[in-house]
């Protein structure tokens, strides 16, 4: 057996004794499988006896877990609570700092520097002028022989009157489409036009129009800042800026019916292109001082013409007078001096030579005669026949103008009262 008492066979006489007290015998020197001579089962006559097993070395018993000290337990809970509270506070603080820093990065990235404050623009700034004028500026589309004529214009009255160029609406059927700065559109009717001054008036039937402020073109001087507004190349609401380059620049162009247009223009270097025609030229106060009408270009044809800083506008005093006559009378009245000019004359000292002088006309009443050479009109020197015609057309009927002229070698002055033509 491998457990319990060790069994040995006793002598017959000692049976009782061995039953009461087991003999103290030494354990075998070695196991039976390694010492065959001492194997009790090999020799049946060998004495055997039951002996108690050798004392075994037990494995160490672990100490029982003791209940923690109540004071220590409270200390542990206190430490744990403080740790949790500290974690919560750290999370809240970290989140707040993260939001703040993320907001700061969104407003002003530290890498690119701080964001500037919103600029406060002066009332006479270009931005303020544009904001004032744009709601009054319109784009005009006129059906013309299977195509569309495109131009600009501006609202001139609370009744919906719109001023533009005659060459924008000429060739049409008298109806047009007007597109406002907010994108809304309305049909418009052509009230009337004056081909010679290149001014036309349309009208829309709506009450929410915003008329532009009309200024005084006679108060404009060279060097004044000006802004041109319109739809060049169909780009609605385009604003360009420049200065007044010259005043009373004589302009003569051809009309569609073979006639001529004359006006003493305001010259500007503000960028003006096809589609700006009829749009306003405004001063630093946002008041209209002219109507953009003509550009000079190096292009070989009118279609290829583009801005080179030479643009011309009809003075608003001239255009307003013509528009008022169109609205009230249905037509404009030309201002005349009562004399014709010789187109071929070019004097060495300039001047415009008069041809036929109408009897009882303004020139004749002032003492001018055929052959006289007019050298200045209203203080402005003359060098071309177009100069005199344009300046006369610009002046309102009834005004008195000082004229300087030569008759042979003698110089003279005269006061001429201009009148409207009889037609």
């Amino acid at each position: 057996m491998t457990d319990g008492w060790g069994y040995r066979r006793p002598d017959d006489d000692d049976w009782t004794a061995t039953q009461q007290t087991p003999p103290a015998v030494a354990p075998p020197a070695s196991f039976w499988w390694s010492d065959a001579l001492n194997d009790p089962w090999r020799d049946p006559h060998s004495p055997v006896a039951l002996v108690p097993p050798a004392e075994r070395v037990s494995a160490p018993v672990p100490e029982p877990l003791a209940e923690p000290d109540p004071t220590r337990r409270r200390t542990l809970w206190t430490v744990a609570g403080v740790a949790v509270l500290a974690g919560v506070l750290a999370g809240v603080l970290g989140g707040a700092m993260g939001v703040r820093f993320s907001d700061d990065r969104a407003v002003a990235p530290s890498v690119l520097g701080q964001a500037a404050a919103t600029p406060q623009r002066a009332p006479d700034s270009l931005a303020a002028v544009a904001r004032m004028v744009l709601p009054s500026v319109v784009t005009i589309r006129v059906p013309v022989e299977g195509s569309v004529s495109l131009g600009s214009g501006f609202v001139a009255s609370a009744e919906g009157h719109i001023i533009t160029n005659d060459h924008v609406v000429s060739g049409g059927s008298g109806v047009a489409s007007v597109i406002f700065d907010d994108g809304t559109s309305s049909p418009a009717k052509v009230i009337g036009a004056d081909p010679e001054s290149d001014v036309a008036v349309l009208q829309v039937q709506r009450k929410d129009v915003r008329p532009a402020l009309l200024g005084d073109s006679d108060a404009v001087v060279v060097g004044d800042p000006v802004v041109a507004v319109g739809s060049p190349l169909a780009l609605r609401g385009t604003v360009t800026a420049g200065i007044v380059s010259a005043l009373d620049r004589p302009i003569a162009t051809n009309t569609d019916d073979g006639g001529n247009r004359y006006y003493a223009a305001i010259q500007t270097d503000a960028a003006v292109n096809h589609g700006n025609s009829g749009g306003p030229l405004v001063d630093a106060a946002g008041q209209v001082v002219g109507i953009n009408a003509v550009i000079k270009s190096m292009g070989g044809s009118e279609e290829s013409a583009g801005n080179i800083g030479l643009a011309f506008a009809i003075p608003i005093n001239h255009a307003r007078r013509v528009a008022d006559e169109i609205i009230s009378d249905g037509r404009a009245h030309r201002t005349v001096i009562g004399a014709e000019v010789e187109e071929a004359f070019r004097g060495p000292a300039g001047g415009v030579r008069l041809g036929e002088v109408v009897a009882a006309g303004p020139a004749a009443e002032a003492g001018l005669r055929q052959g006289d050479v007019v050298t200045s009109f209203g203080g402005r020197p003359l060098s071309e026949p177009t100069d005199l015609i344009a300046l006369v057309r610009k002046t309102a009927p009834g005004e008195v103008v000082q004229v300087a002229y030569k008759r042979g070698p003698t110089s003279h002055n005269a006061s001429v009262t201009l009148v409207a033509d009889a037609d």
Side-chain angles (χ1 to χ4, degrees), residues 66-81:
E67 289 292 328
D69 184 21
T71 303
R72 184 180 179 188
R73 184 187 305 174
R74 286 194 299 270
T75 302
L76 291 175
W77 278 109
T78 301
V79 172

Side-chain angles (χ1 to χ4, degrees), residues 6-46:
Y7 180 77
R8 295 184 65 188
R9 182 177 180 179
D11 293 335
D12 296 341
D13 296 337
D14 297 333
W15 173 249
T16 304
T18 47
Q19 284 286 56
Q20 294 178 353
T21 303
V25 293
S30 60
F31 295 102
W32 62 270
W33 56 81
S34 62
D35 189 4
L37 295 179
N38 293 324
D39 184 4
W41 300 105
R42 184 172 182 275
D43 184 3
H45 299 286
S46 297

Side-chain angles (χ1 to χ4, degrees), residues 196 262 334-343 352-374 377 382 384-393 403 405 407 414 416-422:
E196 185 171 317
Y262 298 99
R334 293 182 302 170
T335 303
V336 295
I337 194 173
E340 295 182 354
V341 296
E342 295 183 3
E343 295 285 350
V352 177
R353 188 162 66 184
L354 299 180
E356 181 182 354
V357 176
V358 179
E365 292 289 333
L368 294 168
R369 294 187 300 192
Q370 183 176 356
D372 290 344
V373 178
V374 180
F377 180 90
L382 305 177
E384 301 284 342
T386 303
D387 298 349
L388 179 59
I389 298 173
L391 290 171
V392 169
R393 295 287 189 266
V403 174
Y405 65 97
R407 182 174 295 163
V416 180
T417 303
L418 304 178
V419 299
D421 62 349

Side-chain angles (χ1 to χ4, degrees), residues 126-394:
L126 292 178
V129 171
R131 185 168 57 250
M132 179 189 305
V133 176
L134 278 170
S136 304
V137 180
V138 299
T139 301
I140 301 174
R141 298 174 61 90
V142 180
V144 178
E145 297 180 358
S147 182
V148 175
S149 174
L150 179 68
S152 305
F154 60 93
V155 180
S157 75
E159 290 74 28
H161 292 106
I162 295 173
I163 297 179
T164 186
N165 287 140
D166 169 72
H167 73 260
V168 171
V169 301
S170 63
S173 60
V175 295
S177 176
V178 173
I179 305 172
F180 291 82
D181 184 62
D182 61 2
T184 60
S185 62
S186 298
K189 179 182 179 182
V190 178
I191 301 300
D194 180 38
E196 185 171 317
S197 63
D198 201 13
V199 174
V201 179
L202 291 73
Q203 188 173 20
V204 293
Q205 299 299 322
R206 53 188 293 175
K207 302 299 182 182
D208 60 342
V209 295
R210 179 173 170 179
L213 299 177
L214 304 186
D216 180 8
S217 54
D218 289 340
V220 175
V221 298
V222 174
D224 278 349
V226 287
V227 175
V229 188
S231 303
L233 307 179
L235 300 175
R236 178 166 52 89
T238 296
V239 178
T240 57
I243 63 169
V244 173
S245 303
L247 295 172
D248 292 329
R249 185 73 74 191
I251 295 296
T253 60
N254 298 326
T255 63
D256 292 341
D257 58 3
N260 295 308
R261 296 187 174 103
Y262 298 99
Y263 46 84
I266 299 173
Q267 181 180 329
T268 177
D269 64 348
V272 173
N273 289 280
H274 289 297
N276 271 116
S277 295
L281 184 72
V282 302
D283 61 14
Q287 299 177 337
V288 180
V289 294
I291 304 176
N292 299 310
V294 178
I295 61 174
K296 293 290 187 180
S297 175
M298 302 298 292
S301 64
E302 184 177 350
E303 288 73 17
S304 62
N307 170 65
I308 57 172
L310 295 174
F312 304 91
I314 304 168
I316 192 60
N317 289 4
H318 182 189
R320 176 166 43 191
R321 174 172 58 82
V322 172
D324 283 338
E325 292 175 351
I326 290 174
I327 294 171
S328 60
D329 302 336
R331 61 177 295 270
H333 302 279
R334 293 182 302 170
T335 303
V336 295
I337 194 173
E340 295 182 354
V341 296
E342 295 183 3
E343 295 285 350
F345 176 80
R346 297 292 184 275
V352 177
R353 188 162 66 184
L354 299 180
E356 181 182 354
V357 176
V358 179
E365 292 289 333
L368 294 168
R369 294 187 300 192
Q370 183 176 356
D372 290 344
V373 178
V374 180
T375 56
S376 71
F377 180 90
R380 294 173 177 80
L382 305 177
S383 58
E384 301 284 342
T386 303
D387 298 349
L388 179 59
I389 298 173
L391 290 171
V392 169
R393 295 287 189 266
K394 174 189 173 183

